Amino acid sequence: MKYKFVRDILLCLVASFALFSCHQKRELRKREIVRDVKELGEVVPEQIGERLSYTADNKTLEDKVPVHSVPALQYFYQLAANQAKWSVDGQLIPAADSMLYFIDHADEVGLPAGIYHQGALDTAIQQLHAATGSGKDAALLAEVDVMMTDAFMKMASHLRYGIAPRDSITLRPDSVLTDSALVQLLSTAIKDNNIAGTFHQLEPAYEGYHSLKAALLNFKAKYQSLHWDSLPTAYVDTPAFKQLVLNRLVQTGHVDTANGHGSDTALLREGVKAFQKEFCLFEDGQAGKKTIQVMNKSYHDWMIQAAVNLDRWRKWPDSLPNRYIFVNIPGYHMMVWDSGQVVLDSRVIVGAPRTRTPLLNSRLSNFVMYPYWRVPFSISIKEMLPAIQKDPHYLAKKNLEVIDKDGNAVNPDSVPWKKFSKNYFPYVLRQMDGLENSLGIMKFNFFNKYAVYLHDTNNRGLFRNSYRAMSHGCVRIQQWDSLAMYLIKDDKRFKRDSVRAWLDKGQKKQIDLSHSIPIYLRYYTAEGKDGQMMFYEDIYGEDKVLKKLMSL
């Protein structure tokens, strides 16, 4: 027993020493001054090798920022025998300056600079520049080299595919740059001193992406150096509060008191309207709740909002069809693209937050004139059944038919409405065609599992609203007539005059397109237009979800 006890103690001591030794081996040498520059070719590779071993164990570099790909780092330096790639004889090469520039300006392409080792690299570069004497710090050169390599690989991947993972509507067939592809990209970029060109080639080629990026740059130049006060969210519309709002508008240049004219009230109203116009709010000149909420957003908030939308663009494929329909849900607009040009732009009404318009890819195949509206089951039991039970004339007022399971119309007076509930409703409600139909006089169909479509509306005055998230999920379009005429413009089977005549006569017809057209329902809360940022309300909270996925 005594021998066994001593043996166990010795084994524990040996194990503890082994663990301590392993831990010691993983410690990185923070400083190694080399007096003879010629010796850097031997010492720096040793230091790089230490960092690669450390990274393999910890999946991070010494600044604790996770690396993009350990195998890619190892493969890149294996090909170079662990030699430094971003410096020669202890001096950083021009490509390193380019890489540092892109890291410092990562926010201009919607990327967070911190994940590219910005803090550690800035400190290390300052130390390299501040060093005096003939010696070179091999440890510092190795640290900079590996961090820049990882930063390039990470940024290249993010510019190509975005930070957030792919989702159900991502159209890219691939989602990662392989390790060999990253190594080849970096090797060529350093060899040709073309970091900028390499990165630009990886970015989306779409006009929407580049318009947003250009507008973001202008926004940054305008607002980065400014500071503005937050306004109280609980307030009384008093002179004191109005003065706070006026001060806030002066801080961001929406009111110029030096050149002002008239009363403070007039200045305030014009300043609020200028702010509302810039940030896509209803321009009533009143500092209401929503306007105050937007005024209280910080510069950082706006930059993040732009960043998540740039990331959305990176989920598109390298090219899109020659023509397609694009609906931006929070922007409340639809565009028809043909041969690289917008040939139709229309306001739309989209689903309310409780009945969202889904994000999807599909193909529009036909449109129907004077359609019936088959009321979805959820609307029938949640909204219409209670109304019918209260008012026996509700069905007639809304021009609704009651259809049984065999497709036959039944007399609503013979239906025991009081017996029905959400658990038992054996009928379908169908709204007759006509001007009072909720679908208006035209419906555009495309396959999807959500049973949504584009359509006209019998309440066209709603298109004047600034807030237009109010449908049950379908997309109501203002320019429905123009869309129909565009869809048949090259179809010899139909003449536009004939379609217009059918509409005038109120004839119910279905027009099947000879060539279906792709349609994309998307979610962009920031766009660029004429060099200016266009910010939209995050009506469904999708930005919040994406910010978490991007760790912003």
Side-chain angles (χ1 to χ4, degrees), residues 259-318:
N259 298 320
H261 59 278
S263 65
D264 284 350
T265 301
L267 280 176
L268 178 61
R269 183 177 179 81
E270 292 305 310
V272 170
K273 290 183 70 173
F275 180 88
Q276 290 169 332
K277 180 178 181 180
E278 179 174 357
F279 290 94
C280 302
L281 299 167
F282 180 58
E283 298 173 39
D284 61 357
Q286 301 296 317
K289 180 179 178 181
K290 184 168 288 187
T291 297
I292 296 301
Q293 288 176 343
V294 176
M295 283 185 179
N296 282 341
K297 293 184 73 170
S298 68
Y299 167 77
H300 183 64
D301 292 333
W302 293 118
M303 295 297 285
I304 287 179
Q305 186 166 339
V308 299
N309 286 279
L310 285 167
D311 207 76
R312 288 180 174 120
W313 278 110
R314 295 175 182 126
K315 300 300 185 286
W316 289 93
D318 292 334

Side-chain angles (χ1 to χ4, degrees), residues 182-395:
L182 284 171
V183 169
Q184 182 61 49
L185 277 173
L186 178 53
S187 299
T188 303
I190 291 178
K191 176 177 175 291
D192 297 340
N193 187 25
N194 192 23
I195 301 296
T198 302
F199 281 157
H200 291 326
Q201 288 176 2
L202 293 169
E203 293 183 273
Y206 298 112
E207 180 181 327
Y209 174 86
H210 288 283
S211 295
L212 176 55
K213 195 171 77 163
L216 178 60
L217 192 62
N218 293 335
F219 184 86
K220 178 181 179 180
K222 181 178 180 180
Y223 286 107
Q224 184 181 30
S225 62
L226 301 183
H227 168 78
W228 51 89
D229 299 325
S230 293
L231 297 168
T233 53
Y235 61 89
V236 178
D237 193 12
T238 63
F241 175 73
K242 290 179 178 178
Q243 187 60 50
L244 290 176
V245 176
L246 188 62
N247 294 342
R248 161 67 181 79
L249 294 169
V250 169
Q251 290 170 333
T252 50
H254 293 94
V255 169
D256 185 357
T257 53
N259 298 320
H261 59 278
S263 65
D264 284 350
T265 301
L267 280 176
L268 178 61
R269 183 177 179 81
E270 292 305 310
V272 170
K273 290 183 70 173
F275 180 88
Q276 290 169 332
K277 180 178 181 180
E278 179 174 357
F279 290 94
C280 302
L281 299 167
F282 180 58
E283 298 173 39
D284 61 357
Q286 301 296 317
K289 180 179 178 181
K290 184 168 288 187
T291 297
I292 296 301
Q293 288 176 343
V294 176
M295 283 185 179
N296 282 341
K297 293 184 73 170
S298 68
Y299 167 77
H300 183 64
D301 292 333
W302 293 118
M303 295 297 285
I304 287 179
Q305 186 166 339
V308 299
N309 286 279
L310 285 167
D311 207 76
R312 288 180 174 120
W313 278 110
R314 295 175 182 126
K315 300 300 185 286
W316 289 93
D318 292 334
S319 62
L320 284 173
N322 189 52
R323 64 179 196 139
Y324 59 91
I325 299 170
F326 176 91
V327 176
N328 182 13
I329 295 170
Y332 306 132
H333 71 261
M334 176 198 77
M335 293 183 291
V336 178
W337 285 82
D338 194 333
S339 304
Q341 301 292 325
V342 176
V343 296
L344 175 61
D345 197 337
S346 174
R347 290 188 172 202
V348 301
I349 293 169
V350 300
R354 289 172 52 183
T355 52
R356 300 181 178 187
T357 296
L359 308 184
L360 56 81
N361 313 310
S362 188
R363 300 186 72 87
L364 195 152
S365 57
N366 67 71
F367 62 88
V368 177
M369 294 180 285
Y370 292 95
Y372 290 123
W373 179 39
R374 184 181 184 280
V375 182
F377 181 75
S378 60
I379 300 176
S380 295
I381 61 171
K382 291 179 181 178
E383 299 180 23
M384 293 188 172
L385 179 59
I388 296 169
Q389 291 171 336
K390 290 180 181 179
D391 180 4
H393 303 295
Y394 178 84
L395 290 167

Side-chain angles (χ1 to χ4, degrees), residues 74-147:
Q74 292 174 331
Y75 180 39
F76 177 74
Y77 283 106
Q78 178 186 352
L79 294 177
N82 284 4
Q83 291 289 335
K85 299 296 291 184
W86 296 92
S87 64
V88 175
D89 294 335
Q91 298 293 326
L92 294 179
I93 61 176
D97 294 330
S98 296
M99 189 66 234
L100 289 170
Y101 177 88
F102 272 91
I103 294 173
D104 289 339
H105 293 79
D107 60 336
E108 295 174 4
V109 288
L111 301 176
I115 65 176
Y116 308 109
H117 313 288
Q118 182 190 42
L121 279 171
D122 284 349
T123 300
I125 297 301
Q126 289 175 9
Q127 291 174 353
L128 285 175
H129 290 163
T132 58
S134 59
K136 299 290 184 181
D137 190 340
L140 201 57
L141 288 167
E143 176 186 352
V144 168
D145 215 89
V146 179
M147 283 187 178

